[in-house]
Amino acid sequence: MVENAAHISLNSSKSMLIRQLILSFLYGEKIEEILPNDSEDVKVVHHLLSIINQHFTDNKTVTLDVRDCGAAYRFLMAVAAVTPGRWHLTGTSRLLARPIRPLVVALQQIGADITPSASGWDITGRPLHAKRVSVDCTKSSQLGSALLLIQQRIGAEEVTILPAAPPSAP
């Protein structure tokens, strides 16, 4: 036993916390609390999940501005695709230039209604079903993570990540 040990408090992983928030929203039907000192990316995701929760039955298009948060951009595209409603996913021009096309293609192949617009993507969310889905993660492993987050929601038995060794571990 170490005597006089100091207590060290570390912030939770931004990446893991964002995934936890999304999983809790999708499968626990709740929006977990976050802390004031959580990262701006975590705050963006938390705020947008609250907006989705408030407007998923609306007939009007609701804007989801992810600002410059790449994880929110990729993960919330998948969430919006499986959440009934009309969504406009947007962000900074720099963010909109980041890789997302392989995720769009994968979601469209299982029936998602996603179309590009001048300022992002228009998504009509609805229940999706697929036994198998695959995505090219050559540019970002988050594309695969986005599908893994909705895997149970779409009933997929298999999510294939291509290539077998993505550029970074999910």
Side-chain angles (χ1 to χ4, degrees):
M1 181 169 175
V2 177
E3 295 203 27
N4 298 324
H7 176 74
I8 299 174
S9 178
L10 300 173
N11 288 340
S12 59
S13 160
K14 170 179 73 170
S15 178
M16 294 302 291
L17 185 50
I18 288 172
R19 285 167 173 82
Q20 179 182 332
L21 287 170
I22 291 171
L23 289 171
S24 179
F25 175 79
L26 287 174
Y27 304 107
E29 298 179 1
K30 67 179 181 175
I31 299 172
E32 293 192 12
E33 295 296 319
I34 60 172
L35 301 173
N37 64 338
D38 283 326
S39 74
E40 282 305 309
D41 287 357
V42 169
K43 291 174 184 174
V44 166
V45 171
H46 184 267
H47 173 71
L48 294 176
L49 289 174
S50 296
I51 289 175
I52 292 170
N53 191 51
Q54 292 169 7
H55 297 285
F56 75 91
T57 58
D58 290 0
N59 285 327
K60 65 177 182 152
T61 300
V62 175
T63 297
L64 304 174
D65 185 351
V66 298
R67 296 190 248 166
D68 199 31
C69 179
Y73 183 45
R74 295 175 182 110
F75 299 164
L76 291 181
M77 175 173 278
V79 171
V82 299
T83 303
R86 293 174 47 198
W87 315 106
H88 177 69
L89 185 65
T90 190
T92 64
S93 58
R94 182 172 160 243
L95 176 101
L96 295 176
R98 292 171 72 178
I100 200 159
R101 191 61 147 148
L103 177 60
V104 171
V105 169
L107 290 167
Q108 288 173 331
Q109 287 176 344
I110 62 171
D113 183 353
I114 303 172
T115 55
S117 75
S119 62
W121 298 90
D122 292 322
I123 304 166
T124 301
R126 61 177 177 245
L128 300 175
H129 303 284
K131 292 279 187 200
R132 291 174 187 77
V133 62
S134 65
V135 64
D136 179 354
C137 291
T138 303
K139 302 279 186 194
S140 172
S141 63
Q142 285 183 349
L143 303 174
S145 293
L147 290 178
L148 290 170
L149 288 169
I150 65 166
Q151 180 177 4
Q152 289 180 331
R153 179 65 71 91
I154 63 174
E157 296 171 3
E158 181 181 327
V159 174
T160 304
I161 308 296
L162 303 170
S168 63

